[in-house]
Amino acid sequence: NITTDPTRRITETGLLLAALAFPGSLVAPGGEAHDALTRVRLLHSALRYWLPKSGRLKPHRDLVPDHVYVEGEVPINQQDLAITLGVFCYINLRSLRRMSIVLSEHD
């Protein structure tokens, strides 16, 4: 369970980030990063489809503002999205720096 033991999720995310570090890793189907990212996207898609139908979100309806709520859809937590985007950007830039790859202003 991610709320009581986030270790698995953190490990899986780290492995995905490591796989993404290789040039061209997302381009070719069958590559480690391409397949891992495809699995993650399919899992998230399945959850967005299943959660509204499961009824598990109904007790939490009051957490979503009326102007955002759409029946049958799962809102994406914008804070989580911002943190995720920030982490992915930071990890990539930090990894480049650790490999002594310096980007120019143009890059």
Side-chain angles (χ1 to χ4, degrees):
N1 183 334
I2 193 167
T3 58
T4 58
D5 183 20
T7 306
R8 178 179 165 202
R9 176 76 177 265
I10 292 169
T11 300
E12 289 172 348
T13 302
L15 291 171
L16 175 62
L17 290 172
L20 290 170
F22 296 101
S25 62
L26 282 174
V27 179
E32 186 177 343
H34 181 275
D35 290 354
L37 195 55
T38 300
R39 282 192 301 275
V40 168
R41 293 191 62 164
L42 286 170
L43 172 66
H44 289 175
S45 176
L47 286 171
R48 284 192 305 275
Y49 176 81
W50 174 79
L51 274 173
K53 295 179 182 332
S54 72
R56 294 181 71 178
L57 296 177
K58 287 185 181 177
H60 307 289
R61 164 62 185 94
D62 59 325
L63 298 175
V64 181
D66 288 333
H67 71 281
V68 175
Y69 183 79
V70 176
E71 185 66 41
E73 291 189 10
V74 179
I76 297 173
N77 181 310
Q78 295 300 298
Q79 291 171 330
D80 288 346
L81 180 60
I83 290 168
T84 300
L85 291 173
V87 166
F88 276 98
C89 293
Y90 168 75
I91 294 293
N92 289 332
L93 293 174
R94 186 189 69 181
S95 297
L96 289 172
R97 187 178 69 236
R98 285 182 173 180
M99 294 185 293
S100 300
I101 297 172
V102 180
L103 299 175
S104 70
E105 282 292 321
H106 177 71
D107 293 336

